[in-house]
Amino acid sequence: MATTKPGERKLQILQTLASMLEQPSSEKITTAALAQRLDVSEAALYRHFASKAQMFEGLIEFIESTVFSLINQISEQQENGLLQAQAIVAMLLGFAERNPGMTRVLIGDALVHENERLQQRMNQFVERVEMALRQSLRLAASQGHCSEAEAALRASMITSLVIGRWHRYAKTGFRHSPAEHAQAQIGMLLA
């Protein structure tokens, strides 16, 4: 029997949970089903995570660290506020498309029967995304592309569009790309 390095099993559990979330059915994922998929006992899962909520927290931490490090890179590399906002939206939609299981976490589908604090954490995540878009659009306002008052309104509309595209992607069984026609729509919101 091959031994796993510290942290490898934990990562394997999170990857398996994410892959199970990629199944379009909205059935609740149980620790028993997760253990069966990994060919381990439920007790083995609990050696790495104190609860299923802690497993979902691991997925949320991955989402947060990935998305916000990419937003920071975009903000540092792109000086034009409008182009920053467009790049952030493209990244958010691309992240969802590359990580369908995570999309169900982003929209809260996977968290429906879980601890309420997980959904609250995802709500905070969306607020932080909107804040990042608002900062980009404030920069755009300072560059003469829109008014300061419009920056917050546009950030809110764009955030709603992104959330709607994530929902559509998940609710169609991951058949409709979240990025389809997005650049044109974002262009309309930024015009």
Side-chain angles (χ1 to χ4, degrees):
M1 182 168 134
T3 59
T4 57
K5 294 178 187 168
E8 271 185 23
R9 177 62 80 183
K10 197 171 189 174
L11 181 61
Q12 184 183 30
I13 292 167
L14 293 176
Q15 289 171 335
T16 303
L17 176 58
S19 75
M20 290 174 76
L21 289 169
E22 291 178 15
Q23 304 310 310
S25 69
S26 59
E27 290 180 31
K28 182 178 177 183
I29 294 176
T30 63
T31 53
L34 180 59
Q36 182 180 11
R37 178 78 70 92
L38 287 161
D39 198 27
V40 299
S41 68
E42 282 185 77
L45 294 178
Y46 290 116
R47 280 194 287 275
H48 300 282
F49 295 96
S51 65
K52 188 165 65 159
Q54 206 176 67
M55 293 176 205
F56 277 108
E57 283 177 340
L59 293 180
I60 292 170
E61 286 168 11
F62 170 79
I63 292 168
E64 289 172 337
S65 67
T66 302
V67 166
F68 291 115
S69 73
L70 291 171
I71 286 175
N72 289 339
Q73 285 177 21
I74 291 166
S75 298
E76 290 170 8
Q77 294 171 0
Q78 181 52 258
E79 293 178 13
N80 180 303
L82 288 179
L83 295 179
Q84 257 185 36
Q86 289 176 343
I88 289 170
V89 170
M91 178 274 298
L92 291 168
L93 299 176
F95 177 85
E97 191 160 17
R98 285 185 304 282
N99 301 284
M102 302 291 184
T103 303
R104 291 194 53 220
V105 176
L106 286 167
I107 66 170
D109 261 17
L111 307 175
V112 169
H113 302 291
E114 304 305 329
N115 190 304
E116 188 177 316
R117 73 181 151 75
L118 297 173
Q119 184 58 57
Q120 290 169 349
R121 190 161 169 189
M122 288 316 305
N123 293 346
Q124 290 171 340
F125 168 84
V126 170
E127 288 172 12
R128 288 177 60 198
V129 165
E130 185 173 335
M131 191 181 330
L133 287 167
R134 194 175 314 128
Q135 287 175 327
S136 294
L137 294 174
R138 282 189 182 135
L139 175 61
S142 74
Q143 296 167 336
H145 298 293
C146 64
S147 75
E148 183 79 25
E150 289 178 352
L153 294 172
R154 289 176 192 239
S156 177
M157 288 189 312
I158 292 168
T159 302
S160 295
L161 176 74
V162 168
I163 293 168
R165 291 186 152 274
W166 288 342
H167 270 275
R168 181 175 181 239
Y169 182 52
K171 297 299 183 180
T172 61
F174 311 114
R175 286 189 304 276
H176 290 284
S177 166
E180 182 182 18
H181 306 298
Q183 288 298 25
Q185 292 173 343
I186 296 303
M188 292 171 74
L189 292 175
L190 294 175

